[in-house]
Amino acid sequence: MSDIQIWTLVFVGLSFGTYLTIAWRSRVRETKGFYVAGQGIPAVANGAAVAADWMSAASFISMAGLIAFLGSDGSVYLMGWTGGYVLLALLLAPYLRKWGKFTVPEFVGDRYSEYVRLIAAVAAIIVSFTYVVGQMRGGGIVFSRFLNLTIEGGVAVAAGVIFLYAVLGGMKGITWTQVAQYTVMIVAYLIPAWTIAQKMTGFPVPQVTFGQILDELNALSQEFGLEQYTEAFAVRPQLDVFLVTLSLMIGTAGLPHVIIRFYTTKSVRGARFSALWALVFIGLLYTTAPAVGAFTKLNLMQSVNGVAVDALPAWVNNWAATGLVTVSDSASTITTLSNDPASGADLVVNNDILVLATPEIAGLPAPIVGLVAAGGLAAAMSTAAGLLLVISSSVSHDLYFRVVKKPTSDSRRLLVGRIAMGAAVLVAIYGGINPPAYVAQVVAFAFGLAASTFFPILVLGIFWKRANAVGAASGMISGLAFTGAYMLYTLEVFGTSSHEFLFGISPEGIGALGALVNVVVTVVVSQLTTPPTEHVQEMVEELRYPARRVTSPVAETE
């Protein structure tokens, strides 16, 4: 066993032991604890949990790799994912917390009708399954490289641990586990970044110093046949950059597993401050990612430029064993580099390995490599747990309790929720083993689906009293169908070659147009049909005033 594997086992073992201990001590026996942690989480802790829940494997593992190969066009992920939290804090979080229920579909059901709630529950399951595939894939990549497991075995191990602590503690256990996971994640991300910045520039603040290497990076990129790192719209058309950014922003604000976190705070004020703390914690990683992408890409190119195939550095062979790095059979020396397997380049590097391989490429010691591996697993597992809880709550609380068996006991609802979570894990394992694209791309698809379904009807439900059930149902179905159809069409017909997308719009950006379709359909249909009852319109009016308490029509009858 190598030093890297030993240190990986040490850090992974310590972190997994911590997560399971927290889950055991936080185990719950009632639905309020399982779904919203008893609504007793302090704002700072909830902010850290929100950050961990949202900064998934895509943020930790894949985003810096995408930025490294997309260059300045990769800023869509930084602007979209962080900007979405501003929308969430201003337009949704405090109002949904004031409503005081367990799930997003529950708000939709109270605001519109029960059949719209069912549509929302199905949409939540679709979005969450799409998102969780990327997390399982990220966990599988870490295990396959650092512990000599296959991708399939790695996905299964990660899923098993997530299932254990999610089932034991529900939202309460997941929340406090995510606080620990955020700590592991951010330490594992910042230490290599600081070390490499000091090594390459003489000053250990990557956000400040990575500008010093950009001229050299641009020149070397061109030598390898790649676009310049700082050239705008070199990889994506300008329209697509705008649409992807917008789709990620409103998708962030509409993600059910993120929104549900704001139900766990003690008050509406706590929900607002949770969003503030989340932005602070997220900012630590997101301001570092461009520097990590730049430093690692430069290190990578310098280490292989003109090197004979039989003299490549050890990290190439280590990652080639996972199938995520490929050396062309026809190459004698490395002169071309790409992240596209169809490019025919001498060296093909998968986006998803760049952060995990950063310490090895930079020649950092084995303990840092093991720490990064533990951080990658923390990122994947923290988000996957939240997603599985959304799937569980949608099945048990919004479908089973409302449709199949109503009313039912608290213990039975918990049992159904845990069974639903187990079934979701099995489906997620399959998706993680057979993902349709890179981790960050799969996650971006989930954001697009959330943008085209949840964000419009939530905002209209809060700020437009005239929105009714028929309009909301029509809008959600139209937005989801439009966005999902385009995503499936591009993946099936075109693969991931952006120049062949219709009007240059990638599947990651189509969610913004899907949201527009949703809004237009909801508004038009609502205007042409019967308005909501006076009581519902009064509730919507009261919802926007801080001093008033909202009582939903469903709550009055239960």
Side-chain angles (χ1 to χ4, degrees):
M1 184 176 288
S2 67
D3 288 346
I4 288 177
Q5 289 175 322
I6 292 171
W7 280 105
T8 299
L9 280 174
V10 168
F11 284 115
V12 169
L14 288 173
S15 58
F16 278 21
T18 302
Y19 306 153
L20 292 174
T21 300
I22 292 172
W24 178 256
R25 293 178 63 88
S26 305
R27 61 192 185 279
V28 295
R29 296 180 177 85
E30 72 286 337
T31 52
K32 189 173 183 180
F34 190 80
Y35 291 125
V36 292
Q39 294 184 324
I41 305 297
V44 176
N46 199 53
V50 169
D53 202 354
W54 176 72
M55 286 195 309
S56 62
S59 294
F60 189 99
I61 294 175
S62 193
M63 184 176 64
L66 279 170
I67 293 172
F69 283 99
L70 289 174
S72 66
D73 291 351
S75 62
V76 296
Y77 296 98
L78 300 170
M79 294 185 296
W81 282 335
T82 50
Y85 258 98
V86 178
L87 296 179
L88 182 61
L90 294 176
L91 300 179
L92 296 179
Y95 304 107
L96 294 177
R97 173 62 185 87
K98 184 179 179 182
W99 198 268
K101 292 303 184 73
F102 287 176
T103 68
V104 172
E106 192 166 23
F107 166 79
V108 172
D110 287 4
R111 170 60 179 85
Y112 296 109
S113 71
E114 282 301 295
Y115 72 84
V116 183
R117 174 193 182 119
L118 297 181
I119 296 171
V122 172
I125 292 170
I126 293 172
V127 170
S128 299
F129 267 128
T130 306
Y131 203 160
V132 83
V133 163
Q135 312 317 307
M136 294 302 180
R137 182 68 175 180
I141 289 171
V142 175
F143 276 115
S144 68
R145 164 61 188 94
F146 296 110
L147 295 177
N148 278 347
L149 294 176
T150 62
I151 290 282
E152 294 82 358
V155 169
V157 171
V161 175
I162 295 166
F163 176 70
L164 277 176
Y165 73 74
V167 164
L168 276 175
M171 179 59 87
K172 184 178 179 182
I174 288 171
T175 298
W176 291 109
T177 300
Q178 284 172 338
V179 173
Q181 286 167 332
Y182 174 79
T183 304
V184 172
M185 189 191 319
I186 201 65
V187 169
Y189 204 86
L190 293 180
I191 286 179
W194 291 340
T195 306
I196 294 170
Q198 174 67 39
K199 188 175 180 180
M200 296 184 71
T201 68
F203 191 69
V205 182
Q207 296 93 330
V208 175
T209 58
F210 84 100
Q212 299 176 24
I213 68 164
L214 293 182
D215 288 339
E216 184 180 0
L217 179 58
N218 284 336
L220 199 52
S221 293
Q222 286 188 302
E223 191 174 329
F224 272 95
L226 301 170
E227 291 82 5
Q228 291 192 16
Y229 188 83
T230 57
E231 184 180 350
F233 314 124
V235 181
R236 291 179 180 271
Q238 186 173 3
L239 173 63
D240 192 47
V241 168
F242 171 78
L243 290 177
V244 173
T245 303
L246 181 59
S247 180
L248 294 177
M249 285 181 68
I250 59 179
T252 296
L255 281 174
H257 81 285
V258 174
I259 292 174
I260 198 174
R261 290 237 52 95
F262 294 96
Y263 289 109
T264 66
T265 59
K266 297 179 179 180
S267 63
V268 174
R269 185 173 182 271
R272 292 183 185 275
F273 274 90
S274 290
L276 173 63
W277 281 111
L279 280 170
V280 171
F281 293 133
I282 290 166
L284 289 175
L285 189 147
Y286 269 57
T287 56
T288 309
V292 171
F295 283 134
T296 304
K297 187 178 182 182
L298 181 60
N299 271 330
L300 188 160
M301 291 190 294
Q302 288 175 336
S303 68
V304 301
N305 188 24
V307 175
V309 169
D310 57 2
L312 287 170
W315 70 265
V316 175
N317 295 324
N318 291 338
W319 281 99
T322 68
L324 300 175
V325 169
T326 306
V327 180
S328 173
D329 294 334
S330 61
S332 57
T333 59
I334 304 300
T335 58
T336 55
L337 170 71
S338 177
N339 64 334
D340 182 5
S343 66
D346 296 334
L347 183 67
V348 177
V349 178
N350 189 296
N351 291 331
D352 292 342
I353 76 156
L354 219 62
V355 168
L356 298 174
T358 290
E360 293 175 271
I361 295 172
L364 300 183
I368 294 182
V369 179
L371 180 62
V372 170
L377 286 171
M381 294 169 66
S382 62
T383 302
L387 292 165
L388 290 172
L389 189 68
V390 168
I391 295 169
S392 170
S393 63
S394 296
V395 171
S396 63
H397 191 69
D398 296 308
L399 294 178
Y400 182 85
F401 173 62
R402 293 286 179 175
V403 178
V404 180
K405 191 173 182 65
K406 132 177 150 175
T408 190
S409 66
D410 212 41
S411 60
R412 188 173 184 84
R413 286 162 65 182
L414 272 178
L415 176 63
V416 172
R418 285 169 169 151
I419 292 172
M421 193 176 289
V425 166
L426 295 177
V427 177
I429 288 173
Y430 175 81
I433 294 170
N434 302 282
Y438 294 125
V439 170
Q441 288 176 311
V442 174
V443 169
F445 296 164
F447 278 76
L449 293 172
S452 62
T453 51
F454 288 111
F455 182 76
I457 63 158
L458 291 176
V459 172
L460 290 173
I462 292 169
F463 294 98
W464 190 43
K465 294 185 293 183
R466 187 64 175 75
N468 65 13
V470 180
S474 303
M476 287 186 71
I477 293 172
S478 301
L480 181 62
F482 174 84
T483 304
Y486 186 79
M487 288 178 176
L488 292 174
Y489 176 71
T490 52
L491 287 173
E492 179 67 25
V493 177
F494 296 135
T496 55
S497 181
S498 62
H499 67 278
E500 295 179 322
F501 297 147
L502 300 178
F503 305 105
I505 300 172
S506 68
E508 297 99 315
I510 198 65
L513 296 182
L516 179 61
V517 169
N518 187 334
V519 169
V520 171
V521 171
T522 301
V523 170
V524 170
V525 174
S526 293
Q527 291 285 15
L528 295 176
T529 52
T530 305
T533 65
E534 286 295 327
H535 181 64
V536 169
Q537 293 190 52
E538 288 174 6
M539 275 197 314
V540 175
E541 186 74 23
E542 292 173 358
L543 183 63
R544 299 194 297 271
Y545 292 92
R548 300 185 185 180
R549 180 180 180 276
V550 173
T551 303
S552 72
V554 177
E556 290 179 340
T557 61
E558 288 180 344

